[in-house]
Amino acid sequence: MPLISEEPQIPESAQGPRVTPATGRTAPTPRPVPGPRSAATPRPGRPGPGPARPAPPAQRAHPAPAAPARPQPTENRSAPQVQLIPAPAAGALEAAEEAVDLLLESGRAPGDILVLTTGEQHPWAVHELSFGEAAYWAQQDAGDDVFFADASAVDRAKPRPVVVVAANGDAGDAVARALPVARDRAAALLIVCGDPQTINSALGAGV
């Protein structure tokens, strides 16, 4: 008769997701960590409170007054996670492109990502605008690819889960105007590439 183990091994696939720390990797610019899939998805590593344990028998005979329940911190689901990638204005667009590549490699859908530039427009946007604004903005409505836009037109940009801002212009006021609106357009994650002092000032040191 075969022996049956009293403690069967749980298959690794049934043990739930694991959170592993990112290994150190050398990169020319700091890499963003892909953010949550949606604002309604709880972040890993923050489990809710577990069930209360029953009191020992000695305490049940003489119960002490129940302590008031500690309020659980409420996470602001409407505010996106903000990440800053330090870069000079001349390298901000390149840093933004690297951030987009990492997001796509991590499994983000291209249609989840909006890229805004505060200075010179991305070459893709320049090319697509050559066919007319109607065709250009129709690609945003289609929502099946990464969309690049000038930050001056951020009011026309529709919300997406991830917004990447390339602060590639020298005008700090352009960054200051674009970032608050960009943060409103980001449903889950806002990545800003550029000068940290200018960006922190525009966001009210919110990063």
Side-chain angles (χ1 to χ4, degrees):
M1 179 175 182
L3 297 179
I4 300 177
S5 174
E6 297 181 357
E7 297 182 359
Q9 297 296 318
I10 300 177
E12 184 176 355
S13 59
Q15 294 179 2
R18 296 183 179 177
V19 179
T20 57
T23 58
R25 57 185 283 187
T26 303
T29 56
R31 296 272 189 168
V33 178
R37 287 292 177 178
S38 67
T41 304
R43 296 179 183 176
R46 295 187 179 181
R53 295 183 179 180
Q59 294 183 4
R60 292 177 188 170
H62 303 283
R70 296 181 66 182
Q72 296 295 325
T74 302
E75 184 176 356
N76 186 0
R77 299 291 186 185
S78 64
Q81 179 184 352
V82 181
Q83 294 182 3
L84 168 62
I85 300 180
L93 185 55
E94 181 180 355
E97 290 178 332
E98 291 182 1
V100 170
D101 288 342
L102 183 62
L103 289 164
L104 295 175
E105 290 171 5
S106 71
R108 277 285 180 186
D112 284 354
I113 304 170
L114 168 67
V115 181
L116 301 173
T117 54
T118 64
E120 184 178 354
Q121 292 195 63
H122 191 277
W124 180 91
V126 175
H127 177 266
E128 295 301 323
L129 281 168
S130 67
F131 298 102
E133 287 205 7
Y136 167 73
W137 289 106
Q139 297 191 55
Q140 175 187 229
D141 297 336
D144 55 3
D145 205 350
V146 179
F147 189 74
F148 297 83
D150 190 283
S152 62
V154 69
D155 290 335
R156 295 188 63 178
K158 294 183 178 180
R160 287 196 175 189
V162 182
V163 176
V164 181
V165 178
N168 61 333
D170 295 329
D173 56 344
V175 178
R177 288 193 303 269
L179 288 188
V181 184
R183 182 164 52 183
D184 291 340
R185 295 293 185 274
L189 177 63
L190 172 64
I191 300 174
V192 189
C193 308
D195 176 65
Q197 184 175 356
T198 302
I199 293 170
N200 282 325
S201 176
L203 287 175
V207 297

